[in-house]
Amino acid sequence: MLMGNKTPLWERPAVLVGLMVGVLALGVAIGMALGLWSGKSSKPVPGAEQAPAPVIAATAPPPPAASAAPDEDEGGPLLAPPPPRPDPGSSEALEFGHASDVVSLAPAPPPPPIPEVKLPPAGAAVWLKNALPTPKTGGRPVIAIVIDDLGIDRRRSERMAQLKGPLTLSYMTYADDVARQAHDARVRGHELMVHVPMQPQSRSYDPGPEVLEVGLSADEIRRRLDWGLSRFDGYVGINNHMGSRFTSDAAGMRVVMGELRRRGLAFIDSVTSERTVGAETARHYGVPFAARHVFLDNDQGVAHVRAQLAKTEAYARKHGAAIAIGHPHDGTIEALAGWLPGLEARGFVLVPVSTVVRMGNGQ
């Protein structure tokens, strides 16, 4: 039998088509099987609990911790004062927002170095000549009450001068008839000071005429100070009316201290600013000085003044001496009238401010 014209199987069309269809069917079958198997494996297992998605809660940052109130007895910063109260009878009270009602003995930061200047010759100690005699203290703590802003309100100034002394009464330079008022107060046994207007921080406060201002020439500062000091006599020195701006200015205060040194007068810093350079400038110029410790009437109510007088007693008992400054307000007059008679029985001695200056306890 002859085999010459037979075609091989793999070259026949029907066989090739059949093979291709078979391979395609096998691939479809394998794909379906894999899909069924994967679907079954993704179903949750009965009884199993899916973990919830994490929730991130938005929380506010904790508030800053409140700082503890400073303790005056531990030498902390100055106590925060009540807000200033407008009062036409005492323009200095308007500045009480710039200073504390009680001055702490916390050590102050070192002052900037004072440039070397040729000090004027020291004059005769007029402050000692005009000072009241120092009362016998017997070792008891002493308190000096300084009342300033006097002379403008004549009626209240007179009531204050009628209180039992010795008080230290500081009269405004520009008050009418101030020489007679000051003379009458001295006859009643009170010590005298000149209340010199000095520039405050705020321009909305009017310290009065002939105010000592930052930026004035030295000659103009001396002229204005000379005018104030010429209004009456018999005083031991000056204290500042307002002055939170001027007493912080070293250049202006050097002119004032040079003049006080030449005239032999003392300086009492009312401390209307925590930045005052009064103490270090006075010390450098050899001017006798002291600084107030308590403000009596930044709140003019009788109860508040009585509380401030109690603070004054506590300060004097701890440190040996205290200087409190007040003003001719009705509440202050009433509180002092009730407080003064029993002071000695409570173990204190009322003294003029010159006594505290002599003791060196007013710094």
Side-chain angles (χ1 to χ4, degrees), residues 92 95 148-149 170-174 193-200 207-213 221 224-232 235 237-244 246-247 253 256 260 265-268 270 272:
E92 183 174 13
E95 283 218 285
D148 56 31
D149 279 8
S170 188
Y171 283 84
M172 297 292 299
T173 57
Y174 54 87
M193 295 195 71
V194 182
H195 202 36
V196 176
M198 299 186 187
Q199 182 183 359
E210 301 294 337
V211 57
L212 306 188
E213 296 177 306
I221 291 175
R224 295 186 182 192
L225 183 59
D226 181 69
W227 177 85
L229 295 176
S230 69
R231 299 283 289 155
F232 61 96
Y235 45 80
I238 73 170
N239 74 318
N240 53 294
H241 171 62
M242 297 194 182
S244 55
F246 188 83
T247 60
M253 290 297 287
V256 171
L260 295 181
L265 297 173
F267 176 68
I268 306 299
S270 301
T272 54

Side-chain angles (χ1 to χ4, degrees), residues 15-45:
V15 174
L16 292 175
V17 171
L19 287 173
M20 292 174 65
V21 171
V23 172
L24 181 60
L26 180 60
V28 171
I30 291 173
M32 293 177 64
L34 290 173
L36 290 173
W37 178 81
S38 63
K40 290 179 180 180
S41 64
S42 64
K43 290 182 180 180
V45 179

Side-chain angles (χ1 to χ4, degrees), residues 15 62 84 86 107 114 147 166 182 185 196-197 202 233 235 280 283 291 324 333 346:
V15 174
I114 297 177
I147 304 296
V196 176
S202 175
D233 56 20
Y235 45 80
E280 57 260 34
R283 187 180 293 113
I333 297 169
R346 293 192 297 275

Side-chain angles (χ1 to χ4, degrees), residues 33-348:
L34 290 173
L36 290 173
W37 178 81
S38 63
K40 290 179 180 180
S41 64
S42 64
K43 290 182 180 180
V45 179
E49 183 178 354
Q50 289 182 313
V55 178
I56 301 177
T59 58
S67 59
D71 185 346
E72 179 195 350
D73 290 339
E74 295 179 359
L78 300 183
L79 299 178
R85 295 175 49 139
D87 169 37
S90 172
S91 53
E92 183 174 13
L94 298 175
E95 283 218 285
F96 285 176
H98 299 292
S100 165
D101 64 342
V102 177
V103 170
S104 164
L105 285 183
I114 297 177
E116 291 296 328
V117 294
K118 184 178 180 180
L119 299 181
V126 173
W127 77 279
L128 287 176
K129 173 187 173 184
N130 292 333
L132 294 180
T134 298
K136 294 181 180 179
T137 65
R140 293 171 292 174
V142 302
I143 294 175
I145 301 294
V146 179
I147 304 296
D148 56 31
D149 279 8
L150 289 166
I152 303 297
D153 185 329
R154 301 276 291 275
R155 183 177 64 84
R156 290 183 173 86
S157 297
E158 176 69 16
R159 287 176 59 199
M160 188 66 78
Q162 290 174 354
L163 294 178
K164 181 181 178 180
L167 302 175
T168 301
L169 303 185
S170 188
Y171 283 84
M172 297 292 299
T173 57
Y174 54 87
D176 293 333
D177 196 24
V178 65
R180 186 196 61 79
Q181 293 188 67
H183 175 267
D184 290 349
R186 184 169 174 80
V187 169
R188 290 191 174 107
H190 301 300
E191 194 164 81
L192 300 181
M193 295 195 71
V194 182
H195 202 36
V196 176
M198 299 186 187
Q199 182 183 359
Q201 288 287 356
S202 175
R203 295 182 180 180
S204 63
Y205 302 151
D206 180 11
E210 301 294 337
V211 57
L212 306 188
E213 296 177 306
V214 173
L216 293 176
S217 69
D219 286 343
E220 180 61 15
I221 291 175
R222 292 189 192 99
R223 187 198 68 77
R224 295 186 182 192
L225 183 59
D226 181 69
W227 177 85
L229 295 176
S230 69
R231 299 283 289 155
F232 61 96
D233 56 20
Y235 45 80
V236 298
I238 73 170
N239 74 318
N240 53 294
H241 171 62
M242 297 194 182
S244 55
R245 177 74 178 91
F246 188 83
T247 60
S248 303
D249 179 64
M253 290 297 287
R254 285 196 290 269
V255 178
V256 171
M257 293 304 166
E259 194 65 11
L260 295 181
R261 172 185 171 88
R262 186 180 70 82
R263 293 170 178 260
L265 297 173
F267 176 68
I268 306 299
D269 195 335
S270 301
V271 194
T272 54
S273 169
E274 297 169 18
R275 298 182 179 90
T276 176
V277 296
E280 57 260 34
T281 311
R283 187 180 293 113
H284 180 78
Y285 276 75
V287 172
F289 74 96
R292 67 92 189 162
H293 303 119
V294 180
F295 270 137
L296 294 178
D297 49 13
N298 42 358
D299 180 329
Q300 298 171 29
V302 176
H304 177 80
V305 178
R306 287 172 177 160
Q308 294 301 96
L309 288 169
K311 286 184 181 180
T312 305
E313 291 185 11
Y315 193 98
R317 188 176 288 111
K318 180 176 181 180
H319 301 291
I323 298 174
I325 289 183
H327 306 86
H329 303 311
D330 291 336
T332 308
I333 297 169
E334 180 179 344
L336 284 174
W339 177 79
L340 288 168
L343 188 61
E344 187 172 350
R346 293 192 297 275
F348 299 93

